[in-house]
Amino acid sequence: MKLTWLMAVACHTYKPILWLLYLTKATAVEDRFQKRYHLLVVVNQFPLSASFRRNATGHIQSIEGVSLLILDWIADRYKFDYSLVAGNTTTIEDVGSKPGHITNMQKLKADVMIAVMGLSPGRLVKVEYVHPWIFSPGAFLIPMPEGWQNNVDAVIKPFQPLVWLGLVIAAISITVALLGYNYLAEKKNKLIDNREKSGPLQIVVVTQDLIMYIIGTLLNQGGYIPCKITKIRLLVGAWCLLTLVLVNVYNGILISFVTTIRPTPPIIDSETDVGYDPNVYLVVNRGLAGDVWFSTAERGLYKVFGDKLRAYDKSKCNSTAICVEMVKSLPHQHVYFNSLHSVQEIIKQDYQQTKECKLTMLANTVSHPASWGVAKKSPHLENFNRGTLRLHEIGLVFLWEGWFTPDTRPCWTRKQNSRRNKNEKKPLVRLSLDNLMGAFALLIVGSIISLFVFIMENMFSRW
């Protein structure tokens, strides 16, 4: 009789016991423990895949992760026992005299290697690839931007440079036109004074202090024009209408820039910055997927990454800790590439140790397959391929990924979480000196210019 069966999975980090219903073509309950063969499995520690929990003496107490659940499911489906051997290396390939995962598997004559192994022709010669159990995008580990952008320039941000240029040209044009009229009016007044001292009605100038009138209208202060000539009043009226519109638009937009203080931009904004910014250095784990992909690429952006690795002698680290320290080092110039889940685990552990967000990441959109390995010409390859495909088909791998995905909050959250938070009501924030730094900067500059003019006037008056 066909039956469905239950399996209990105990999570050790304060998680309750989760019961999962597996919908399979299971055989009768009495046949479940009748195993036909025994496999030796080498398991390597990797985020999401398998994590070791050790006691104070360093002995492994338990191993948990998505790969262990997959292995247990396939073992129950195809009726075999297995023994786990914990790997003691962190690289797939050999690094110098230190053997990698594949070499350890061959020395132990193991049947299966649990790993997160990227595809490459060189590895295919040594082991058989199981159908990929995970498709993970790459990610760049970057330092968290520190501090905030200077808000001194908030007073000039409401207008684009062309608007400011147009305003300066308009102010100069109106000033030159009115000064020219004042010059002609004063010249005619002198001629009238010389010819007829009895003095007929003289021509009225626009204003005696024209420069201050132009500045006053720009500052929304206005002024008095005694001249009543129609063409002059039309010209001055057009200038006043222009300043009325610009001043009100400026005041309306200014508040947005005054109250907004943005953090400093990250060291990179995209993958292209990694490849073409000469001030950014790329670092990877020696012998892992990033090193293999970039070093063997013959075209495209990965070829650019490979050229950058070859040009920098410290680009390949023998351990993840070395790469992370390079990312943290000052000045911030290094970015570290690895799989998304590896970078998430690094961010999580760093936050747990420091209680500060010193690292964040830039996620890649291209997903890369990762597989297990089995011995060459293994008769068990077909069972592992079929079991992995079945797990993907019923969605269990995706479910288990959610259980063991590292929590990177508050240092990094996915875009859908940030969209969800946009609708939340934000508390009111009182303006600080950082918001109004631009206004005080203008006051300081104006005071310095005023003091300079005062000193120069006194110097010229003494001379």
Side-chain angles (χ1 to χ4, degrees):
M1 179 179 179
K2 303 291 184 180
L3 298 174
T4 59
W5 51 280
L6 291 171
M7 174 184 177
V9 179
C11 297
H12 298 277
T13 56
Y14 302 102
K15 295 179 181 178
I17 296 178
L18 302 175
W19 293 86
L20 180 65
L21 178 64
Y22 294 146
L23 301 176
T24 66
K25 298 178 180 179
T27 57
V29 176
E30 59 270 15
D31 296 333
R32 188 176 305 164
F33 300 100
Q34 297 177 5
K35 311 296 181 180
R36 294 192 296 235
Y37 48 88
H38 186 91
L39 299 182
L40 180 62
V41 180
V42 178
V43 57
N44 302 291
Q45 187 168 355
F46 197 87
L48 189 73
S49 174
S51 60
F52 300 164
R53 294 189 174 276
R54 303 177 184 269
N55 57 16
T57 60
H59 293 284
I60 298 176
Q61 292 181 316
S62 63
I63 304 176
E64 61 179 18
V66 177
S67 292
L68 274 300
L69 296 177
I70 295 175
L71 177 63
D72 194 62
W73 189 92
I74 295 176
D76 277 295
R77 182 177 178 85
Y78 295 103
K79 302 183 182 64
F80 63 83
D81 286 323
Y82 60 86
S83 299
L84 293 177
V85 178
N88 58 356
T89 181
T90 58
T91 59
I92 302 294
E93 308 286 350
D94 298 344
V95 178
S97 59
K98 186 177 180 181
H101 294 325
I102 298 177
T103 302
N104 286 341
M105 175 186 173
Q106 293 174 340
K107 287 182 178 179
L108 294 171
K109 296 182 179 180
D111 300 289
V112 184
M113 178 182 69
I114 292 180
V116 182
M117 183 170 56
L119 307 180
S120 72
R123 295 172 181 175
L124 187 59
V125 176
K126 303 175 183 178
V127 294
E128 299 283 0
Y129 276 100
V130 180
H131 182 83
W133 67 273
I134 187 174
F135 295 85
S136 175
F140 293 95
L141 181 71
I142 61 176
M144 179 67 73
E146 297 179 355
W148 302 85
Q149 286 185 339
N150 197 328
N151 205 33
V152 174
D153 57 348
V155 293
I156 64 173
K157 287 182 178 179
F159 290 158
Q160 294 183 357
L162 288 179
V163 179
W164 287 113
L165 179 62
L167 180 60
V168 171
I169 293 175
I172 293 175
S173 301
I174 192 70
T175 302
V176 171
L178 295 180
L179 284 176
Y181 174 80
N182 274 358
Y183 173 76
L184 295 176
E186 291 176 355
K187 188 175 181 181
K188 288 185 178 181
N189 288 337
K190 289 181 180 179
L191 292 176
I192 293 173
D193 289 340
N194 294 333
R195 291 178 181 178
E196 300 181 15
K197 294 186 179 180
S198 57
L201 185 63
Q202 294 184 338
I203 300 175
V204 180
V205 296
V206 179
T207 181
Q208 293 295 335
D209 200 349
L210 183 59
I211 302 297
M212 293 305 300
Y213 174 78
I214 298 297
I215 296 175
T217 52
L218 285 173
L219 298 178
N220 208 18
Q221 297 299 314
Y224 174 66
I225 298 293
C227 182
K228 296 183 179 180
I229 301 177
T230 303
K231 56 185 178 182
I232 297 300
R233 284 192 169 272
L234 288 175
L235 181 61
V236 174
W239 168 251
C240 292
L241 182 60
L242 172 67
T243 56
L244 175 67
V245 174
L246 291 180
V247 169
N248 283 279
V249 170
Y250 176 85
N251 291 336
I253 302 176
L254 178 63
I255 187 64
S256 300
F257 291 95
V258 168
T259 56
T260 302
I261 302 180
R262 295 175 295 174
T264 54
I267 185 174
I268 57 172
D269 289 321
S270 64
E271 297 177 354
T272 308
D273 294 341
V274 180
Y276 296 101
D277 191 340
N279 298 320
V280 176
Y281 299 99
L282 176 63
V283 293
V284 296
N285 286 96
R286 190 184 304 274
L288 289 187
D291 183 16
V292 175
W293 294 334
F294 302 156
S295 300
T296 58
E298 298 180 354
R299 61 180 181 273
L301 188 59
Y302 279 14
K303 172 65 166 55
V304 178
F305 291 163
D307 294 339
K308 202 153 194 175
L309 292 179
R310 288 183 283 270
Y312 185 50
D313 56 353
K314 298 180 181 179
S315 61
K316 299 182 180 181
C317 312
N318 293 329
S319 67
T320 302
I322 297 176
C323 286
V324 174
E325 288 302 319
M326 294 176 68
V327 173
K328 290 183 179 180
S329 62
L330 296 176
H332 295 320
Q333 293 180 313
H334 298 88
V335 296
Y336 167 66
F337 179 85
N338 207 328
S339 68
L340 174 65
H341 299 100
S342 298
V343 174
Q344 287 178 327
E345 183 66 24
I346 293 171
I347 295 174
K348 174 186 173 182
Q349 292 181 0
D350 184 74
Y351 180 73
Q352 289 177 346
Q353 294 173 2
T354 63
K355 302 301 179 184
E356 295 179 354
C357 289
K358 296 183 178 181
L359 299 172
T360 186
M361 70 176 180
L362 175 68
N364 193 348
T365 57
V366 180
S367 295
H368 303 279
S371 307
W372 295 356
V374 298
K376 295 294 291 184
K377 299 180 181 180
S378 172
H380 313 299
L381 176 61
E382 186 66 21
N383 289 341
F384 279 95
N385 282 336
R386 289 177 178 271
T388 306
L389 285 170
R390 179 60 178 165
L391 285 172
H392 279 294
E393 181 182 357
I394 60 182
L396 286 179
V397 175
F398 179 77
L399 175 65
W400 291 335
E401 283 184 34
W403 291 3
F404 296 99
T405 298
D407 184 8
T408 57
R409 295 174 298 179
C411 302
W412 184 85
T413 56
R414 292 186 180 274
K415 291 184 178 180
Q416 54 264 34
N417 293 335
S418 61
R419 291 196 196 104
R420 193 180 303 118
N421 294 334
K422 285 183 179 180
N423 297 327
E424 297 179 1
K425 186 177 180 180
K426 297 181 180 180
L428 296 177
V429 179
R430 302 174 69 180
L431 295 180
S432 63
L433 183 60
D434 292 334
N435 300 109
L436 302 174
M437 186 64 71
F440 286 100
L442 281 181
L443 176 62
I444 294 173
V445 172
S447 300
I448 293 174
I449 295 176
S450 175
L451 179 62
F452 175 76
V453 172
F454 172 75
I455 294 174
M456 294 302 295
E457 286 180 346
N458 280 275
M459 292 175 61
F460 281 112
S461 63
R462 290 179 181 273
W463 290 343

